[in-house]
Amino acid sequence: MKRPLALLLSALALAAPAAAQSPKAAKVAKTATQAAPYSAYLFAYFTGNDKKEEAIRFALSPDGYHYTALNGDRPIISSAAISETGGVRDPHILRGADGKTFYMVATDMVSAKGWSSNRGMVLLKSTDLINWTHSAINFQKRYAKQDDLKRVWAPQTIYDPQAKKYMVYFSLQYGSEPDKIYYAYANKDFTDLEGEPKQLFFSPTNGSCIDGDIVAKDGKYYLFFKTEGNGNGIKVAVSDKLTSGYVLGDKYVQQTTSPVEGAGTFKLNNSPDYILMYDMYTSGKYQFTRTRDLQNFTVVDQDVSMNFHPRHGTVMPITAAEATRLAQRWLTPSDVLLTAQNPAIRKLNTVVDSAAGKVAFLALPGTNVAALDLQIKNPLLPVSPSGPQNFAKGPVTYTVGQGAAKRTYQVSVTETHNPALNGYYADPDILYSQKMGKFYLYPTSDGFNGWSGTYFKTFSSPDLVHWKDEGVILDLPKDVSWSKKNAWAPTIIEQKTATGYKYAYYFCAGAKIGVALADSPTGPFKDSGQPLLDKLPEGVKGGQQIDPAAFRDPKTGKLYLYWGNGYMAGAELNDDLTSLKPGTTQVMTPDNTFREGAYAFYRNGKYYFMWSEDDTRSPNYQVRYGTSDTPLGKITVPANNSVIVKDPTQGIYGTGHNSVIQIPGRDEWYLVYHRFTYPQGIKMGGDAGFHREVCIDKLEFNADGSIKPVKPTHAGIQPVQLK
């Protein structure tokens, strides 16, 4: 049954004031909107440091957790038209005290000109969220004696009920002084500032303060801001007055060890709770935390999804009518289908062909596609049909929108077993545990800008298809003393001893190789306290000590470790598993195709060595192999030694850095590798090199022992039955 769009949107409705309003202004706004309570959210943001990314974008959410970009993640207003520099950053959006006028402010800046290149901000005003008036303020032109002003950053606005004016606050830096947060009142038309800027917050440390965000709660004003130069992070200062008296709290409130900026708070509709979010700008991620008292914060990232990558933005609660207006103006109909919340859908792996009117979902193993409900909850445009549909017979026709904007789509859902792990992971090492009788995957945690992840997880499976997340097994900031960054490319050995099983986990941190020990394949692992490998082998002039691969020789029982980027080296491990046997290190680089990711296994009297060619950011990243008669001997490279390469016909690229698993007791083998995330990876440029996903496909051999080229697939493998 179809219902009017307003009813669909108002199904969420319960009134809640915008976070950045004074108590009195919130009361006024609530009165003004009692007939149309807030039921959705508008996110204003920008996306990056390229000029084309420095522009205001909008996204909608029905619940404050799931966001869909408007206008295809393109700007909703031209930066060139509204700014002096040609770029704008850090947009802050506010509902006015009358409940129906909206105000935005943004940094007037193009970062390519330098972080101290801008001198002003942009003020915008709207009554419908679609059409905006604007004016740019250059502080050096507006005010006298501003010659040593270096930058004007991250403005925000709040209504002052005492002054009955809108207060704009921002950070300024003069000469060699630290950044300080100032304020000034906007004029009646919100086109200019009145009077000279005054300092709002006086830091007791005299440290740099930027990215201020004020929340009014229970008669107090909470100023969130980023500190720099004397400990970096987000702190809170509290005052009974809007314009003075802020007292700094002791603790940092961000819930991550990654660098952060751009704190933004908003109140959840129909809840006493708030969201504090911030930009993890070196990780390419946003973190959301939930709080009731603005003092204690719980991470809720697991509940948050976005089809875009925001930088320093703000969220404002909006009404159903406002959400409808925005959706009708800027929401792409296919994006409504992408709000499907069924947990069986692989969020990262949906293919949209808007021109052809097709949406193809991939589903997790075991999904019943014959009766699957996409769970498109509280759509911002009408969607039909609803409820479970039979996708086993082929695509189902969905209709999105109404009137002239109505659009039909052929929607398919296919169960696949690749990627093997749901999410961004890379550099997989795999183990069959004799102790536990099941398989374990040890990947790099991926999706962090510049490979900047800091923790390792493991996953277990009884059949190589259904994988259970066993959680973090080694966290560099907490567990490793000698390096806190760049958690890459682990490998593991299971060793049976007289007293039980021991596990040695070799990992990269800070481009060095370390080792941690445990009594279980899921840890907890204890680091040895120092790097195992932090120097180039003798005679090697360049490269990195990364990508370890552990190997047990079934002929002798001896243990070996292989490693290297730019070169390949190998050595025998001592029985303690935490040191190399002196005098055994060999440089084994097979040929000039070797880049990294060495791996070794044994079959039918031959030692097989695999490695990755090219760069992990390249679509042509691929696996090659050679053989040897001994674990540390010369590697013979066959003429046709390709193991796996990209398949553009399937949209599969960057297939590399692998491991291999043999099913116990059988001549049955599988290749475990990573690829660019599908389908978006090939569009990401170099960023595809840290947005990768783990896959498993069958590995087969010819009668002479040569390896048959592996065809990468989305289907993956069928569950393996252990005997």
Side-chain angles (χ1 to χ4, degrees):
M1 173 180 170
K2 289 188 176 180
R3 292 188 290 166
L5 178 57
L7 290 178
L8 282 169
L9 289 162
S10 62
L12 290 179
L14 277 172
Q21 292 179 326
S22 69
K24 182 176 179 180
K27 183 177 180 180
V28 173
K30 181 177 180 180
T31 301
T33 60
Q34 280 181 342
Y38 306 139
S39 59
Y41 303 81
L42 175 62
F43 191 168
Y45 63 96
F46 77 107
T47 56
N49 296 334
D50 188 275
K51 187 174 181 179
K52 68 178 181 296
E53 298 172 322
E54 293 173 318
I56 297 170
R57 291 163 164 83
F58 280 174
L60 284 178
S61 172
D63 57 8
Y65 287 83
H66 303 92
Y67 290 86
T68 300
L70 296 178
N71 200 31
D73 198 28
R74 296 182 295 273
I76 57 94
I77 190 169
S78 167
S79 293
I82 64 174
S83 68
E84 184 177 88
T85 65
V88 297
R89 302 165 62 93
D90 321 316
H92 176 263
I93 191 165
L94 172 76
R95 183 185 299 276
D98 63 1
K100 59 184 180 181
T101 307
F102 304 94
Y103 302 90
M104 266 201 300
V105 286
T107 306
D108 190 340
M109 180 178 180
V110 171
S111 60
K113 298 178 181 178
W115 295 112
S116 297
S117 64
N118 80 307
R119 302 293 183 266
M121 66 177 71
V122 177
L123 278 63
L124 302 100
K125 183 179 178 180
S126 175
T127 57
D128 62 4
L129 295 171
I130 306 295
N131 302 288
W132 295 84
T133 60
H134 57 86
S135 61
I137 301 174
N138 183 307
F139 277 54
Q140 289 183 325
K141 296 176 182 177
R142 174 69 175 80
Y143 299 106
K145 300 179 181 179
Q146 298 285 317
D147 291 345
D148 60 344
L149 175 66
K150 293 177 65 178
R151 58 197 186 204
V152 182
W153 277 2
Q156 296 203 176
T157 308
I158 187 171
Y159 183 71
D160 184 342
Q162 301 300 320
K164 297 183 180 180
K165 294 180 179 180
Y166 290 93
M167 187 186 91
V168 183
Y169 54 103
F170 40 84
S171 65
L172 303 177
Q173 186 189 25
Y174 291 95
S176 60
E177 289 289 309
D179 300 84
K180 300 175 183 178
I181 298 176
Y182 290 76
Y183 75 95
Y185 288 101
N187 65 3
K188 183 178 180 181
D189 295 326
F190 207 72
T191 58
D192 198 2
L193 299 178
E194 299 177 343
E196 295 280 338
K198 299 178 181 179
Q199 190 169 344
L200 177 67
F201 174 63
F202 294 81
S203 172
T205 68
N206 200 37
S208 182
C209 304
I210 63 172
D211 297 353
D213 180 58
I214 298 176
V215 184
K217 183 181 186 302
D218 300 332
K220 294 184 181 296
Y221 295 93
Y222 294 76
L223 171 62
F224 293 79
F225 65 93
K226 180 189 176 184
T227 65
E228 288 189 322
N230 186 20
N232 297 337
I234 297 170
K235 284 199 168 184
V236 187
V238 184
S239 177
D240 295 330
K241 299 178 181 179
L242 176 59
T243 59
S244 64
Y246 285 94
V247 177
L248 181 63
D250 292 332
K251 66 179 182 179
Y252 289 100
V253 298
Q254 74 272 14
Q255 304 298 301
T256 175
T257 57
S258 296
V260 298
E261 64 185 14
T265 51
F266 64 93
K267 195 170 188 301
L268 289 168
N269 300 331
N270 191 31
S271 171
D273 292 356
Y274 293 76
I275 294 293
L276 166 66
M277 62 184 194
Y278 36 80
D279 182 358
M280 298 167 61
Y281 58 95
T282 64
S283 303
K285 295 179 180 294
Y286 238 84
Q287 183 161 83
F288 275 53
T289 66
R290 187 162 177 157
T291 179
R292 183 160 297 184
D293 58 10
L294 301 182
Q295 298 180 55
N296 300 285
F297 302 86
T298 301
V299 174
V300 292
D301 289 349
Q302 67 279 3
D303 300 321
V304 176
S305 66
M306 305 175 187
N307 67 339
F308 56 98
H309 297 282
R311 297 289 315 279
H312 193 158
T314 48
V315 171
M316 178 183 73
I318 58 176
T319 67
E322 291 159 357
T324 299
R325 185 162 59 240
L326 287 161
Q328 290 177 337
R329 175 65 178 85
W330 281 311
L331 186 61
T332 304
S334 60
D335 285 343
V336 178
L337 296 173
L338 299 186
T339 64
Q341 296 302 310
N342 192 308
I345 292 172
R346 298 178 182 271
K347 291 289 188 181
L348 302 178
N349 304 122
T350 303
V351 180
V352 178
D353 186 341
S354 293
K358 295 180 179 179
V359 175
F361 291 108
L362 300 187
L364 295 171
T367 301
N368 180 14
V369 299
L372 182 71
D373 184 354
L374 294 181
Q375 298 180 20
I376 302 174
K377 298 179 179 179
N378 306 299
L380 297 166
L381 289 174
V383 177
S384 63
S386 61
Q389 305 297 316
N390 185 359
F391 295 95
K393 294 182 178 180
V396 174
T397 301
Y398 277 75
T399 301
V400 181
Q402 57 190 3
K406 185 164 62 176
R407 183 82 190 274
T408 60
Y409 289 86
Q410 296 300 305
V411 179
S412 63
V413 179
T414 306
E415 179 203 7
T416 65
H417 297 171
N418 276 336
L421 304 179
N422 208 23
Y424 296 131
Y425 296 97
D427 312 324
D429 190 62
I430 192 165
L431 168 75
Y432 175 75
S433 171
Q434 296 289 340
K435 176 182 179 180
M436 305 303 294
K438 54 185 175 180
F439 302 95
Y440 291 85
L441 262 177
Y442 299 88
T444 297
S445 298
D446 213 24
F448 302 97
N449 281 356
W451 308 281
S452 59
T454 60
Y455 63 87
F456 295 99
K457 300 180 98 176
T458 190
F459 300 80
S460 64
S461 173
D463 58 12
L464 294 179
V465 170
H466 300 89
W467 292 93
K468 176 186 176 184
D469 187 341
E470 298 284 0
V472 174
I473 59 171
L474 192 71
D475 187 324
L476 299 186
K478 296 178 182 178
D479 303 327
V480 177
S481 61
W482 48 271
S483 182
K484 307 295 184 182
K485 63 180 183 179
N486 302 127
W488 301 344
T491 187
I492 194 164
I493 280 178
E494 179 183 62
Q495 180 78 322
K496 189 174 183 180
T497 71
T499 58
Y501 284 89
K502 181 183 292 187
Y503 297 83
Y505 184 72
Y506 305 90
F507 60 94
C508 301
K512 302 173 184 178
I513 294 173
V515 57
L517 300 178
D519 296 325
S520 163
T522 58
F525 284 88
K526 183 177 181 180
D527 178 56
S528 67
Q530 62 186 7
L532 171 62
L533 286 162
D534 59 0
K535 294 180 178 61
L536 291 169
E538 185 177 349
V540 175
K541 296 183 178 180
Q544 292 179 300
Q545 285 63 253
I546 60 172
D547 296 0
F551 169 66
R552 173 183 287 102
D553 184 354
K555 290 175 64 176
T556 65
K558 293 181 178 180
L559 300 174
Y560 295 86
L561 193 71
Y562 305 95
W563 71 92
N565 165 286
Y567 68 92
M568 176 183 168
E572 187 177 344
L573 282 161
N574 283 316
D575 292 341
D576 62 9
L577 304 179
T578 61
S579 61
L580 301 180
K581 189 166 289 187
T584 63
T585 298
Q586 298 289 328
V587 177
M588 302 173 62
T589 312
D591 62 19
N592 59 11
T593 66
F594 182 92
R595 176 63 174 264
E596 60 194 11
Y599 190 81
F601 66 96
Y602 178 83
R603 178 183 182 271
N604 290 353
K606 287 186 179 180
Y607 296 90
Y608 288 79
F609 293 92
M610 292 180 171
W611 62 90
S612 292
E613 177 186 5
D614 213 330
D615 190 291
T616 192
R617 294 166 290 191
S618 168
N620 298 316
Y621 195 56
Q622 59 187 287
V623 177
R624 294 189 179 276
Y625 84 99
T627 61
S628 178
D629 294 329
T630 64
L632 295 174
K634 177 178 174 56
I635 297 173
T636 300
V637 180
N640 299 311
N641 72 327
S642 176
V643 177
I644 190 168
V645 298
K646 67 183 179 182
D647 185 352
T649 64
Q650 296 192 82
I652 296 175
Y653 299 90
T655 51
H657 201 131
N658 71 287
S659 57
V660 171
I661 188 69
Q662 178 186 11
I663 305 306
R666 306 204 295 261
D667 189 26
E668 184 178 340
W669 301 78
Y670 295 92
L671 187 79
V672 189
Y673 61 96
H674 72 234
R675 69 184 186 193
F676 286 0
T677 185
Y678 169 85
Q680 296 300 322
I682 193 61
K683 305 173 187 177
M684 290 182 175
D687 288 2
F690 41 82
H691 290 87
R692 300 162 294 181
E693 52 196 24
V694 170
C695 298
I696 303 177
D697 278 302
K698 190 75 178 289
L699 177 65
E700 296 180 306
F701 300 82
N702 294 306
D704 62 358
S706 60
I707 293 176
K708 296 181 179 180
V710 176
K711 181 177 177 61
T713 70
H714 297 298
I717 65 172
Q718 292 303 304
V720 170
Q721 301 299 319
L722 295 173
K723 295 179 181 178

